[in-house]
Amino acid sequence: MTMIEIDVDDRGRASLKSAGVAPGRYRVSRTADVFKLEPVRSFTTAELLALSDPAVIAAHRAIRETPEQFTPADDLP
């Protein structure tokens, strides 16, 4: 576990750049004195529809499992 010190301003804002946290949106949960940051991703309606399609899910799974079989040009005519 990495431990660092950060300063929190009067409004409760803290810069986590020195901890290596990338810019973006995060969900923050707290257990006792431990804070956990989880990246949050927003999806468009079209993306949600595509991600619920079994054919799209199968294609993504195949690419993840055997990426060496696919190149960016594979879907071109």
Side-chain angles (χ1 to χ4, degrees):
M1 177 196 295
T2 302
M3 305 239 346
I4 65 161
E5 290 185 18
I6 59 171
D7 291 320
V8 178
D9 67 14
D10 293 338
R11 293 178 59 194
R13 297 176 301 183
S15 174
L16 300 175
K17 187 175 182 179
S18 62
V21 178
R25 295 179 61 206
Y26 292 86
R27 177 180 299 120
V28 179
S29 57
R30 180 181 181 185
T31 304
D33 290 331
V34 177
F35 290 88
K36 181 178 179 183
L37 301 173
E38 296 177 82
V40 174
R41 168 89 200 271
S42 298
F43 293 97
T44 65
T45 302
E47 288 172 319
L48 288 174
L49 288 172
L51 292 173
S52 64
D53 184 332
V56 173
I57 294 168
H60 280 272
R61 185 173 296 123
I63 292 169
R64 263 196 328 267
E65 292 171 357
T66 55
E68 65 280 354
Q69 293 181 2
F70 298 91
T71 65
D74 280 346
D75 62 347
L76 297 176

